[in-house]
């Protein structure tokens, strides 16, 4: 356990009967960072968060918060607070009473409580809302109240359980930026659970990608996206084209990989698993591929295929290119720079794809 | 190029619709009409079986019994009779106190409604009113019986709700599967007749009953307890047992509806189990508690079977008197007046109760 970590999870497991929700997991969360637990539903991220809050107890392993073992600390005595997925606003109390709920133990005078509540209301930009009943609030407002109610207690760690999941897309994006700014202002460590990879990438200092109760990779958003450690992470964060290949030769830190139907693909050596004769998975992000309607004159990787189908998203289109001998078509993101009203052309026309060696990630074969 | 869509031509003249079509259109459009349509059979039955008898009762109460016939001229005589059966002057003197007691809430808004004072008044006002009403009905037999019935039913309600709450809480929060079986088990006492259940208590509480003979054979007591049967205690116990399910079910429903994450949120914000119960669980289950209280209180005030069987002379209630007025005493107008006064008293009490719980909720919050 390092000096800087506020939360230290050491070899923690949680079994629900035969189900291993969390399986021998260890990780450290640094003081003041915005840390996300990212994974598909059922990967154990919420269970882990609930163990931090004290609502679930680990079957095995130890959790330390600010250096203190949590094995015998009940939830109402932990130095953490939580923002619940459905916000859990008390329906019988108004906004002020909700926010002041946790101050009971602090034994403040009425004036002090009122001042603190006012400050917090200002912070979440709901100054005029103090006397509103809980059911008069919109989703975004409820979310702010839940946040204020937890932050007013000045916890060492704030736990957030998919707090933006119930909001519509526009509001969610707004709240993402706001939450991020708020976290920087108050300086409290945030542990944020989400299944939305974009959300995790936008907001976090570091992200732990979880699957089946285990952590697959803990890294900064850019590292996760550009240098995933295996296919599962690569596939979960954004989209990725995968091809199976064999490393034929390595020269000056560049590998030549034989990918049957695509021919030879050039890539950078990015780890010890890339050695001559090794089976690897070649991974390329769709937006790193450029499509041409004539053979390009370039030294980068070039393959030829046929346009299989397109999907229009307004700012961009997804093209799917069928390649002879390849099971899945290759996905390509084309940014709609020009204002074309006719769409991206006939299906079944020949297309050339190209991407530089730097765009390729070589993953260990599975 | 996008095609320009030509506007649809407006229909020429009005389209004539058939009567059934128009009726259906009206019904489909109006939520209240559909509601009343659904309600109409029940509503009809209610009017026939409830409003009509009550109307008759009220009519009777303004008549006078003349041997086997009625004097049908309008009079308040039966109402006066109800209050003045004995010691006329004593009762009307004490009305002075009663009106004072009942007027207290009228002065309340004049004071600054401070937290402490409010709490004091909420506890203090019913206590004062309770004492004054008791004082004023002391010597008038019918008001005294009505007051006693209200007190017994109050005790029954309190006992039932206090005992039912943990049961409902247990089923709502601690039974994980087969909740239905538990709920069915609660209704098991209803599988035997009400009379049989009352008689069962007679066997348990009697002079030579299960309880007394058990204690005697254990050598714990020398003489059987006399207060067990034919007492207010027996009435309270029997009624509480009989009405337990009516209290458990509404409380269970209101507890079951509480979002579990609210309880977790309260814990997360630093409340231990007791504080959490008082600040979240109890206020949120108040609708159930109120429903349970009313469901138990209202029918038990008028009960006359249980007091008749296990109440003895001290456990007699207003229901017994009303029953005898319509029976042996053959004075339907006085019976009607007594019923109407009971109804008014119960309605007033319930309004006071609802007002108090509303105030109380605000105080706790």
């Amino acid at each position: 356990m390092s000096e800087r970590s506020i939360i230290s999870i050491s070899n923690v497991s949680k079994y629900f009967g035969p189900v291993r929700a969390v399986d021998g997991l260890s990780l450290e969360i640094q003081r003041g960072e915005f840390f996300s637990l990212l994974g598909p539903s059922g990967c154990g991220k919420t269970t882990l968060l609930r163990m931090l809050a004290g609502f679930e107890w680990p079957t095995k392993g130890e959790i330390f918060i600010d250096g203190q073992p949590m094995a015998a600390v009940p939830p109402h005595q932990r130095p953490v607070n939580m923002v619940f997925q459905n916000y859990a606003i008390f329906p019988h109390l108004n906004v002020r009473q909700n926010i002041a709920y946790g101050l009971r133990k602090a034994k403040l005078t009425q004036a002090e409580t009122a001042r603190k509540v006012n400050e917090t209301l200002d912070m979440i930009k709901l100054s005029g809302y103090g006397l509103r009943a809980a059911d008069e609030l919109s989703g975004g407002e409820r979310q702010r109240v839940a946040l204020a109610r937890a932050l007013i207690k000045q916890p060492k760690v704030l736990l957030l359980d998919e707090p933006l999941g119930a909001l519509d897309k526009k509001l969610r994006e707004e709240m993402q930026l706001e939450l991020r700014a708020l976290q920087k202002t108050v300086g409290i460590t945030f542990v944020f659970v989400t299944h939305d990879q974009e959300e995790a990438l936008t907001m976090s200092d570091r992200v732990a990608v979880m699957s089946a109760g285990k952590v697959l990779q803990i890294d900064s958003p850019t590292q996760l996206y550009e240098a995933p450690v295996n296919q599962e992470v690569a596939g979960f964060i954004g989209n990725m084209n995968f091809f199976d290949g064999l490393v034929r030769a390595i020269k000056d830190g560049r590998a030549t990989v034989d990918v049957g139907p695509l021919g030879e693909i050039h890539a950078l050596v990015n780890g010890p698993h890339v050695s001559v004769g090794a089976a690897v998975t070649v991974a390329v992000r769709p937006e790193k591929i450029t499509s041409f309607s004539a053979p390009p004159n370039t030294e980068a990787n070039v393959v030829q295929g046929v346009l299989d189908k397109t999907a229009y998203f307004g700012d961009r289109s997804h093209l799917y290119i069928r390649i002879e001998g390849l099971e899945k078509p290759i996905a390509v993101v084309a940014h709609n720079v020009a204002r074309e009203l006719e769409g991206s052309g006939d299906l079944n026309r020949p297309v050339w794809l190209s991407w530089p060696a730097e765009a390729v990630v070589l993953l260990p074969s599975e | 190029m996008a095609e320009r869509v030509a506007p649809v031509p407006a229909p020429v003249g009005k389209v004539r619709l058939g009567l059934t079509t128009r009726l259906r259109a009206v019904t489909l459009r109006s939520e209240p009409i559909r509601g009343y349509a659904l309600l109409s059979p029940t509503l009809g039955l209610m009017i026939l079986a409830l409003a009509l008898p009550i109307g008759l009762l009220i009519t009777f109460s303004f008549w006078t019994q003349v041997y086997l016939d009625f004097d049908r001229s309008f009079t308040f005589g039966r109402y006066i009779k109800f209050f003045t059966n004995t010691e006329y002057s004593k009762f009307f003197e004490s009305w002075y106190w009663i009106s004072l007691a009942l007027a207290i809430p009228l002065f309340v808004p004049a004071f600054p409604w401070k937290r402490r004072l409010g709490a004091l008044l909420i506890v203090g006002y019913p206590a004062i009113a309770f004492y004054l009403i008791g004082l004023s009905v002391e010597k008038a037999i019918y008001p005294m019986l009505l007051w006693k019935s209200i007190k017994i039913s109050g005790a029954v309600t309190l006992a039932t709700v206090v005992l039912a709450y943990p049961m409902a809480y247990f089923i709502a929060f601690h039974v994980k599967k087969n909740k239905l079986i538990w709920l069915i088990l609660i209704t098991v006492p209803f599988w035997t007749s009400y009379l049989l259940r009352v008689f069962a208590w007679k066997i348990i509480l009697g002079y030579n009953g299960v309880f007394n003979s058990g204690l005697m054979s254990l050598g714990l007591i020398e003489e059987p307890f006399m207060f067990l049967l034919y007492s207010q205690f027996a009435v309270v116990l029997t009624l509480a047992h009989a009405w337990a399910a009516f209290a458990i079910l509404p409380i269970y429903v209101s507890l079951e509806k509480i979002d579990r994450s609210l309880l977790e949120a309260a814990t997360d914000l630093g409340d231990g189990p007791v504080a959490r119960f008082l600040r979240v669980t109890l206020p949120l289950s108040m609708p159930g508690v109120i429903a349970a209280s009313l469901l138990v209180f209202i029918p038990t005030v008028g009960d006359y079977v249980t007091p008749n069987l296990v109440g003895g002379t001290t456990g007699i209630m207003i229901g017994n008197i009303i029953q005898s007025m319509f029976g042996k005493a053959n004075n339907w107008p006085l019976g009607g007046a007594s019923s109407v006064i009971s109804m008014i008293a119960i309605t007033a009490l319930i309004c006071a109760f609802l007002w108090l719980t509303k105030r109380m909720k605000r105080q706790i919050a």
Side-chain angles (χ1 to χ4, degrees), chain B residues 80-241:
Chain B
I80 294 169
K81 175 83 175 163
F82 181 89
F83 288 107
T84 58
N85 199 31
T86 34
E87 295 201 36
Y88 175 90
S89 57
K90 172 81 182 174
F91 183 72
F92 275 90
E93 266 167 38
S94 46
W95 261 108
Y96 176 74
W97 292 108
I98 287 210
S99 3
L100 196 70
L102 297 179
I104 288 180
L106 298 178
F107 298 117
V108 165
F111 295 110
W113 192 254
K114 283 275 164 110
R115 217 184 152 80
R116 290 265 156 71
L117 182 68
L120 200 70
L121 271 175
I122 278 173
V123 183
Y125 171 60
I128 295 167
F130 190 84
Y131 176 75
L132 290 177
I133 293 173
L135 204 70
S136 60
V137 300
E138 220 173 29
K139 288 290 162 64
I141 177 80
Y142 297 140
M144 193 264 277
L145 273 176
L146 178 57
W147 182 236
K148 195 169 85 182
S149 307
I150 288 167
K151 279 195 291 186
I152 288 178
S153 293
V156 171
T157 309
L158 193 71
T160 315
V161 170
V162 167
L163 292 174
Y165 202 101
M167 187 74 194
Y169 191 92
F170 172 78
I171 300 173
F173 291 112
H174 293 286
V175 177
K176 294 281 180 265
K177 37 186 164 180
N178 299 330
K179 283 195 184 194
L180 191 63
I181 289 183
W182 279 87
L183 291 176
I184 291 171
L185 278 177
I186 286 170
T187 67
V188 164
F190 289 89
W191 297 5
T192 59
S193 108
Y194 179 61
L195 274 179
L196 277 180
R197 270 177 286 146
V198 179
F199 274 114
W201 278 111
K202 258 181 122 152
I203 292 168
I204 294 169
L205 300 174
Y207 187 78
N208 287 319
V210 177
F211 198 71
N212 273 331
S213 53
L215 287 180
M216 295 253 292
S217 66
L218 284 173
L220 290 173
I221 53 170
E222 309 224 316
E223 292 263 304
F225 285 129
M226 296 293 285
F227 68 87
L228 287 178
L229 193 57
Y230 302 126
S231 61
Q232 293 190 16
F233 168 77
V235 177
V236 171
L237 185 67
T238 310
L239 284 176
H241 172 245

Side-chain angles (χ1 to χ4, degrees), chain B residues 51-93:
Chain B
L52 218 62
I54 288 180
L56 277 175
L57 205 67
I58 294 171
T59 318
F60 275 131
S61 71
F62 292 112
W63 292 351
T64 316
Q65 186 88 30
V66 186
Y67 296 107
L68 295 174
D69 209 353
F70 300 117
D71 171 3
R72 287 190 172 75
S73 51
F74 181 87
T75 168
F76 279 109
R78 294 323 101 207
Y79 289 90
I80 294 169
K81 175 83 175 163
F82 181 89
F83 288 107
T84 58
N85 199 31
T86 34
E87 295 201 36
Y88 175 90
S89 57
K90 172 81 182 174
F91 183 72
F92 275 90
E93 266 167 38

Side-chain angles (χ1 to χ4, degrees), chain A residues 24-25 34 106 146 174 183 197 200 215 234 291 294 297 332:
Chain A
L25 188 146
F34 197 123
E174 246 175 73
Q183 192 262 340
Q197 34 102 4
V215 168
S291 68
N297 184 16
V332 178

Side-chain angles (χ1 to χ4, degrees), chain A residues 88-134:
Chain A
I89 304 294
F90 300 117
H92 58 303
L93 305 179
N94 65 26
V95 170
R96 292 192 75 90
Q97 290 165 331
N98 260 289
I99 292 176
Y101 191 94
L103 295 178
R104 185 182 61 100
K105 281 236 175 92
K107 300 246 184 289
L108 303 172
T109 64
Q110 279 194 3
E112 280 172 318
T113 308
R115 188 180 51 78
K116 273 197 121 171
V117 171
N118 285 338
E119 276 173 15
T120 317
L121 277 170
D122 283 344
M123 185 178 72
I124 57 161
K125 298 171 195 160
L126 286 182
S127 303
Y129 285 65
L131 298 178
R132 291 228 185 158

Side-chain angles (χ1 to χ4, degrees), chain A residues 5-62:
Chain A
S5 49
I6 183 107
I7 290 180
S8 170
I9 298 166
S10 152
N11 211 11
V12 163
S13 296
K14 174 70 186 176
Y15 306 155
F16 293 109
V19 181
R20 297 184 170 205
V22 174
D23 194 5
L25 188 146
S26 299
L27 60 85
E28 307 269 321
I29 297 172
Q30 248 98 73
R31 209 174 285 276
E33 79 176 330
F34 197 123
F35 191 89
S36 289
L37 295 168
L38 173 65
S41 51
C43 72
K45 56 191 193 299
T46 296
T47 308
L48 185 63
L49 194 78
R50 290 174 59 80
M51 283 195 283
L52 292 178
F55 298 131
E56 306 283 355
W57 298 90
T59 315
K60 276 189 229 159
E62 277 267 32

